[in-house]
């Protein structure tokens, strides 16, 4: 199954990695690794995570206060947002068509 990022979601991932790397050496790299592990869990079990409406779901990261917001079809997973779970929880909704 293919994974595709919306451009704003790709930017969010990169921004969070940069931010955490400024907080502590390699912390951003650890965030990126966990984000990819979370995406792998989504690929393995696309319908297992918290539904947010329609085909949109959220899979929470384990160590960081972030969730991967995504939509899954039979052919691909579209990453809609890499969202901080305690800030502006619904900001990504305008990305869903």
């Amino acid at each position: 199954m293919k994974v595709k990022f919306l451009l704003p979601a790709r930017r969010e991932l990169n921004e969070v990695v940069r931010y955490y790397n400024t907080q502590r050496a390699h912390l951003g790299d650890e965030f990126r690794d966990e984000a990819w592990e979370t995406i792998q869990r989504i690929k393995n079990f696309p319908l297992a995570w918290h539904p947010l409406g329609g085909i949109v779901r959220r899979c929470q990261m384990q160590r960081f206060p972030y969730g991967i917001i995504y939509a899954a079809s039979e052919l691909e997973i579209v990453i809609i947002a890499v969202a901080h779970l305690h800030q502006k929880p619904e900001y990504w909704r305008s990305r869903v068509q």
Side-chain angles (χ1 to χ4, degrees), residues 9 21 23-24 28 31 49 52-53 59 70 73-75 92 95:
N21 275 333
Q23 300 304 300
R24 191 183 87 212
F31 177 88
W49 311 108
L52 299 175
C59 183
Y70 69 97
S73 71
E74 291 182 20
L75 301 175
W92 52 267
R95 298 177 190 174

Side-chain angles (χ1 to χ4, degrees), residues 8-22 31 66:
R10 174 71 67 186
R11 286 184 187 141
E12 287 167 346
L13 177 62
N14 292 334
E15 288 172 12
V16 176
V17 168
R18 278 193 297 274
Y19 169 76
Y20 276 125
N21 275 333
T22 65
F31 177 88
Y66 282 80

Side-chain angles (χ1 to χ4, degrees), residues 9-82:
R10 174 71 67 186
R11 286 184 187 141
E12 287 167 346
L13 177 62
N14 292 334
E15 288 172 12
V16 176
V17 168
R18 278 193 297 274
Y19 169 76
Y20 276 125
N21 275 333
T22 65
Q23 300 304 300
R24 191 183 87 212
H26 306 293
L27 185 60
D29 302 329
E30 293 172 24
F31 177 88
R32 184 186 56 241
D33 292 345
E34 185 175 336
W36 285 111
E37 289 170 10
T38 303
I39 291 168
Q40 188 61 45
R41 288 197 326 264
I42 293 167
K43 284 176 69 176
N44 291 335
F45 306 101
L47 301 178
W49 311 108
H50 183 73
L52 299 175
I55 63 169
V56 178
R57 293 177 178 270
R58 179 189 69 223
C59 183
Q60 288 185 235
M61 296 175 69
Q62 295 176 355
R63 180 175 169 201
F64 296 90
Y66 282 80
I68 305 294
I69 311 296
Y70 69 97
S73 71
E74 291 182 20
L75 301 175
E76 69 181 358
I77 293 169
V78 177
I79 307 298
I80 297 166
V82 178

